[in-house]
Short mmCIF file of all heavy atoms in Angstrom, two decimals:
data_model
loop_
_atom_site.label_atom_id
_atom_site.label_comp_id
_atom_site.label_asym_id
_atom_site.label_seq_id
_atom_site.Cartn_x
_atom_site.Cartn_y
_atom_site.Cartn_z
N GLY A 1 1.55 -41.30 55.38
CA GLY A 1 0.81 -41.91 54.27
C GLY A 1 -0.48 -41.17 53.94
O GLY A 1 -1.13 -41.45 52.95
N CYS A 41 -15.25 -27.07 26.03
CA CYS A 41 -15.12 -25.71 26.56
C CYS A 41 -16.49 -25.06 26.78
O CYS A 41 -16.71 -24.37 27.78
CB CYS A 41 -14.28 -24.88 25.58
SG CYS A 41 -13.94 -23.24 26.19
N GLY A 57 -24.69 -9.56 37.46
CA GLY A 57 -26.12 -9.18 37.47
C GLY A 57 -26.72 -9.15 36.08
O GLY A 57 -27.57 -8.30 35.77
N VAL A 58 -26.29 -10.07 35.20
CA VAL A 58 -26.83 -10.15 33.83
C VAL A 58 -27.11 -11.62 33.50
O VAL A 58 -26.74 -12.51 34.24
CB VAL A 58 -25.83 -9.58 32.79
CG1 VAL A 58 -25.58 -8.10 33.03
CG2 VAL A 58 -24.52 -10.35 32.78
N VAL A 69 -16.77 -18.88 22.24
CA VAL A 69 -15.78 -19.97 22.19
C VAL A 69 -15.23 -20.13 20.77
O VAL A 69 -14.02 -20.23 20.57
CB VAL A 69 -16.41 -21.31 22.68
CG1 VAL A 69 -15.46 -22.47 22.44
CG2 VAL A 69 -16.77 -21.22 24.16
N VAL A 166 -10.60 -7.64 -4.17
CA VAL A 166 -11.91 -7.64 -3.47
C VAL A 166 -12.46 -9.07 -3.41
O VAL A 166 -13.05 -9.48 -2.41
CB VAL A 166 -12.90 -6.68 -4.17
CG1 VAL A 166 -14.29 -6.82 -3.60
CG2 VAL A 166 -12.42 -5.24 -4.04
N GLU A 218 15.27 -1.69 1.53
CA GLU A 218 16.08 -1.60 2.76
C GLU A 218 16.68 -2.95 3.14
O GLU A 218 17.48 -3.03 4.07
CB GLU A 218 15.21 -1.11 3.93
CG GLU A 218 14.71 0.31 3.77
CD GLU A 218 13.76 0.70 4.91
OE1 GLU A 218 13.83 0.05 5.97
OE2 GLU A 218 12.96 1.62 4.72
N LEU A 244 8.92 -7.25 11.44
CA LEU A 244 7.74 -7.80 10.76
C LEU A 244 6.85 -8.57 11.73
O LEU A 244 5.62 -8.37 11.76
CB LEU A 244 8.21 -8.71 9.61
CG LEU A 244 7.13 -9.38 8.76
CD1 LEU A 244 6.19 -8.36 8.16
CD2 LEU A 244 7.76 -10.21 7.66
N ARG A 309 10.38 -3.22 -24.66
CA ARG A 309 10.56 -4.11 -25.81
C ARG A 309 9.28 -4.88 -26.14
O ARG A 309 9.27 -5.72 -27.01
CB ARG A 309 11.68 -5.11 -25.53
CG ARG A 309 13.01 -4.43 -25.22
CD ARG A 309 14.07 -5.46 -24.90
NE ARG A 309 15.22 -4.82 -24.24
CZ ARG A 309 16.22 -5.51 -23.72
NH1 ARG A 309 16.23 -6.82 -23.77
NH2 ARG A 309 17.23 -4.88 -23.14
N GLY A 316 4.72 -8.65 -31.27
CA GLY A 316 4.22 -7.30 -30.97
C GLY A 316 2.79 -7.33 -30.48
O GLY A 316 2.09 -8.33 -30.58
N ASN A 338 4.21 -20.50 -7.06
CA ASN A 338 3.19 -21.53 -6.88
C ASN A 338 2.31 -21.28 -5.66
O ASN A 338 1.17 -21.74 -5.59
CB ASN A 338 3.89 -22.88 -6.75
CG ASN A 338 2.98 -24.02 -7.12
OD1 ASN A 338 1.96 -23.81 -7.77
ND2 ASN A 338 3.31 -25.21 -6.69
N GLN A 364 -7.81 17.11 -5.61
CA GLN A 364 -7.06 17.09 -4.34
C GLN A 364 -6.38 18.45 -4.10
O GLN A 364 -6.35 18.94 -2.96
CB GLN A 364 -6.00 15.98 -4.38
CG GLN A 364 -6.59 14.59 -4.28
CD GLN A 364 -5.55 13.50 -4.53
OE1 GLN A 364 -4.44 13.77 -5.01
NE2 GLN A 364 -5.91 12.25 -4.25
N ASP A 380 -10.22 25.13 -20.08
CA ASP A 380 -10.05 23.89 -20.84
C ASP A 380 -8.66 23.81 -21.46
O ASP A 380 -8.06 22.73 -21.54
CB ASP A 380 -11.12 23.80 -21.95
CG ASP A 380 -12.51 23.55 -21.36
OD1 ASP A 380 -12.55 23.19 -20.17
OD2 ASP A 380 -13.52 23.71 -22.07
#
Side-chain angles (χ1 to χ4, degrees):
C41 185
V58 296
V69 172
V166 172
E218 294 175 22
L244 180 56
R309 301 178 196 172
N338 203 19
Q364 288 171 348
D380 289 346

